Amino acid sequence: MPSIQTTSAKTQSPQIGTSTDSQSQQPSSSLVLLLASGAGLSVASLYYSQPMLGTLAKDIGVSDVNIGFVPTLTQLGYALGILLLAPLGDRHDRRQIILIKLALLVLALLATAFSHSLDVLLVASLAIGLTATMAQDIVPAAATLAHESRRGKVVGTVMTGLLLGILLSRVVSGFVAERFGWRVMFVIAAVSVFGIGIAMWRGLPRFSPTTNLSYRALLASLLDLLRRHARLRQAALAQGVLSMGFSAFWSTLAVMLHGEPFHMGSAVAGAFGLAGAVGALAAPVAGHLADKRGPEMVTRLGTGLAALSFALMSIGSWCSPDTQLWLLIIGTIGFDLGVQMTLVAHQTIVYGIDTGARSRLNAVLFVGMFIGMAIGASAGSILLAQWGWIAVTGMAALTSLAAFALRLKTTPVSKS
């Protein structure tokens, strides 16, 4: 197994050295906004389909179970992209990687918009997942630009953009699909990604590589990092388990609301993203709390809140439809807040392990997360079809409790 190697590079304007952090090296507010917008618009591409699954199934002419493979392949593509592509951020200029992925993501979104069969739609969904991983080049870039004392807050701010992209994408896609059709939504998505690509081409600085490892050795070093760092293993496993319930909920919500007793359209399913957006806005607060009180406490608070929220939604299955809807809204706010707090805290933990391997550390964390999401999307569709909504929320509560238990067993990370 190769050892982790890093090389220092001379910092030249507008090139950003990534081997050290400097107190004076702080990203401007406009650059942080650009990074947050780029992360949000790219990762939103993964979730546009979810509120439209009922409409997609009817238009393409497939069953609810088969249409569930669309979000599953998108999440799987994202996990593969993080595993195979995100580590390149330590070996090459992150700016160049981000711009290439932007162009390919535009093409994948357009291919989805003009899909006329499930097979084509599944291939395009996989491609969206692979190329949307530019978000996982943007977040380590933000961590590199920020000083250690403010890294949690800066990463939290960029993660707010990313998380709002996840949540508001469902609101927008549900609204657009119901009024103009699902194909129009993917065209709009392609245009928006192209627009942010122009802005990032103009405003994003260059980044110096931090390693000279070959691509094969770079991938092999992921296992070495995982083997050597217990904190990385704990973070990846806990976030992956927690993400199973998150994905199961969002992948089945539209189908559940479309059926008995609600009979609601994609716009209502998408509007639940507004409830989740409340949690996303708290990401900078979670980052600041991790800076001041330590990220371990934040992970325990987040996983515990997610477990309680899913348990509340499970209880709602025995209530009247009106009461169940209110419990869904409250629970959505709670579990999204919990999941996002935990993710920001986990990122704060792993980015402090090795400054020269942030892209690879981020890759390991998010591979674990999106493997969990892919499993959750598939399991959620099966559970909903076989045993109903209570099975989905029950599974989500159990996986959140498992993540909470994992964090209880860990050794607290000392503050810098």
Side-chain angles (χ1 to χ4, degrees), residues 191-202:
V191 172
S192 67
V193 172
F194 180 79
I196 199 65
I198 297 297
M200 298 193 85
W201 173 69
R202 293 173 60 89

Side-chain angles (χ1 to χ4, degrees), residues 55-358:
T55 302
L56 276 168
K58 183 177 180 181
D59 188 49
I60 301 296
V62 297
S63 67
D64 290 341
V65 173
N66 285 335
I67 203 64
F69 286 111
V70 170
T72 298
L73 278 177
T74 304
Q75 302 294 347
L76 183 59
Y78 200 71
L80 288 174
I82 293 171
L83 177 64
L84 300 176
L85 302 177
L88 292 171
D90 291 332
R91 180 66 177 83
H92 302 283
D93 177 13
R94 286 194 184 99
R95 178 181 184 273
Q96 184 179 22
I97 293 172
I98 290 169
L99 294 178
I100 291 172
K101 287 183 179 180
L102 268 165
L104 294 175
L105 179 57
V106 170
L107 295 177
L109 289 167
L110 290 175
T112 303
F114 295 102
S115 298
H116 290 280
S117 70
L118 180 62
D119 291 340
V120 175
L121 187 60
L122 292 178
V123 172
S125 297
L126 182 65
I128 287 174
L130 287 167
T131 54
T133 53
M134 61 165 279
Q136 300 311 320
D137 299 300
I138 292 174
V139 179
T144 296
L145 292 168
H147 185 261
E148 185 177 2
S149 63
R150 294 183 64 245
R151 186 174 300 133
K153 185 175 181 180
V154 171
V155 170
T157 301
V158 174
M159 285 300 296
T160 295
L162 187 150
L163 297 168
L164 286 175
I166 293 174
L167 298 166
L168 296 182
S169 63
R170 300 182 178 102
V171 180
V172 173
S173 64
F175 177 85
V176 173
E178 192 161 284
R179 286 159 178 77
F180 307 105
W182 64 271
R183 298 182 190 277
V184 173
M185 182 63 248
F186 282 105
V187 172
I188 293 173
V191 172
S192 67
V193 172
F194 180 79
I196 199 65
I198 297 297
M200 298 193 85
W201 173 69
R202 293 173 60 89
L204 197 63
R206 297 183 183 276
F207 293 81
S208 298
T210 58
T211 182
N212 58 4
L213 289 172
S214 67
Y215 178 66
R216 181 177 179 180
L218 198 67
L219 293 184
S221 71
L222 295 176
L223 293 177
D224 191 37
L225 286 167
L226 194 61
R227 177 183 60 81
R228 293 195 295 118
H229 299 294
R231 287 182 293 160
L232 179 61
R233 294 193 299 271
Q234 293 159 352
L237 180 59
Q239 195 68 46
V241 172
L242 185 63
S243 298
M244 289 175 63
F246 178 91
S247 182
F249 175 88
W250 285 115
S251 297
T252 57
L253 178 65
V255 177
M256 186 274 288
L257 291 176
H258 191 72
E260 294 282 351
F262 301 109
H263 301 292
M264 294 178 175
S266 57
V268 175
F272 271 83
L274 290 173
V278 175
L281 293 173
V285 178
H288 180 71
L289 189 61
D291 289 336
K292 297 299 182 182
R293 300 289 300 275
E296 185 64 33
M297 182 271 289
V298 179
T299 64
R300 293 171 181 174
L301 181 61
T303 53
L305 181 58
L308 288 174
S309 299
F310 282 122
L312 183 66
M313 285 189 280
S314 295
I315 294 172
S317 299
W318 285 289
C319 300
S320 66
D322 287 344
T323 302
Q324 185 176 356
L325 278 177
W326 277 110
L327 291 178
L328 279 173
I329 293 170
I330 295 170
T332 300
I333 294 172
F335 88 77
D336 265 316
L337 174 59
V339 170
Q340 290 149 22
M341 288 176 63
T342 306
L343 178 57
V344 171
H346 278 149
Q347 288 176 298
T348 303
I349 291 171
V350 302
Y351 288 152
I353 293 174
D354 184 345
T355 59
R358 284 190 179 129

